[in-house]
Amino acid sequence: LKTLEEPSKDTLLILVSEYSKNLLPTILSRCQIINFQPLPQKEIEKLLLEKGVESEKAKEISLISLGRPGRAIDFMDSQKLDDFKKNIKEAAALARSDFASRFQRAKEISQKDNLKEILATWLFYFRNLLLEKCSECSTLSVEHYVNVLKKIQETNSLISNTNVSARLALEILMLEL
């Protein structure tokens, strides 16, 4: 707070937060808030083409990057893209599996270093399912997917901002899938 109130000469502080609601009001009152919007898919695709990515792969990456150029560049690495696709398949399989399988997988995932990445991929998968259901006008399944998306976001927030047991948080999430 002292640094924000009385910065030294020629100081520029950049505070980046995914969850600005968790910041103290005294901090927020001393900040200029700038919201970053996702880039259009065509701009991401153009960027990738300029970097030498083949057309089909550029189109695929621009779709799954959700307007984030840094994420698109990460997906230029074939391993990252393969991991993403694997996480998508896993989300689809989990949604169809029984509770015992889901809890076993929650135990395994809770010990991984890339838990936030896995949850972000699940969010992408279920968001796309929700958009499909909206186009089909199936109110019951739309409500289900909205609840799943909320639960994934809540789980991600808990794991990121508290000392909650990742395994327990994931097991609660598995009940919603």
Side-chain angles (χ1 to χ4, degrees):
L1 188 59
K2 177 114 171 112
T3 305
L4 284 174
E5 287 178 343
E6 301 170 13
S8 55
K9 187 179 179 198
D10 298 328
T11 299
L12 175 65
L13 298 172
I14 299 175
L15 174 64
V16 179
S17 176
E18 191 172 347
Y19 305 102
S20 60
K21 294 175 188 168
N22 294 346
L23 296 174
L24 296 172
T26 54
I27 301 289
L28 286 174
S29 69
R30 290 162 174 81
C31 295
Q32 177 183 358
I33 298 175
I34 301 173
N35 292 315
F36 295 97
Q37 301 302 319
L39 290 178
Q41 185 178 342
K42 289 291 181 191
E43 284 188 45
I44 301 268
E45 190 175 338
K46 180 181 172 189
L47 170 80
L48 294 170
L49 291 171
E50 289 171 0
K51 291 195 170 281
V53 177
E54 68 177 52
S55 179
E56 282 302 310
K57 189 174 181 181
K59 188 171 283 205
E60 176 186 21
I61 291 174
S62 67
L63 176 68
I64 63 175
S65 69
L66 298 175
R68 296 186 227 155
R71 189 169 188 194
I73 291 169
D74 283 347
F75 283 139
M76 288 173 56
D77 175 6
S78 294
Q79 182 60 47
K80 290 236 185 215
L81 189 57
D82 291 344
D83 289 346
F84 179 84
K85 289 177 181 178
K86 184 180 127 202
N87 288 335
I88 290 286
K89 287 179 184 174
E90 181 177 54
L94 278 171
R96 294 185 304 266
S97 65
D98 60 14
F99 285 127
S101 301
R102 291 181 192 180
F103 287 155
Q104 179 59 38
R105 193 63 189 131
K107 178 181 176 184
E108 295 165 6
I109 293 171
S110 68
Q111 298 167 355
K112 291 191 172 194
D113 293 333
N114 64 340
L115 181 55
K116 279 188 78 166
E117 188 177 309
I118 291 170
L119 290 173
T121 305
W122 291 3
L123 199 58
F124 174 85
Y125 173 75
F126 286 105
R127 177 184 167 273
N128 283 345
L129 283 179
L130 173 64
L131 292 174
E132 284 177 24
K133 295 298 179 189
C134 284
S135 67
E136 296 171 7
C137 296
S138 173
T139 309
L140 181 63
S141 55
V142 166
E143 189 175 314
H144 169 73
Y145 289 116
V146 167
N147 289 335
V148 169
L149 289 172
K150 285 179 182 177
K151 191 54 104 172
I152 292 172
Q153 288 175 320
E154 181 182 308
T155 302
N156 194 15
S157 177
L158 283 171
I159 290 170
S160 297
N161 299 316
T162 68
N163 62 350
V164 71
S165 163
R167 180 177 173 185
L168 182 59
L170 286 168
E171 286 177 352
I172 293 169
L173 171 62
M174 295 301 173
L175 293 172
E176 285 293 321
L177 299 181

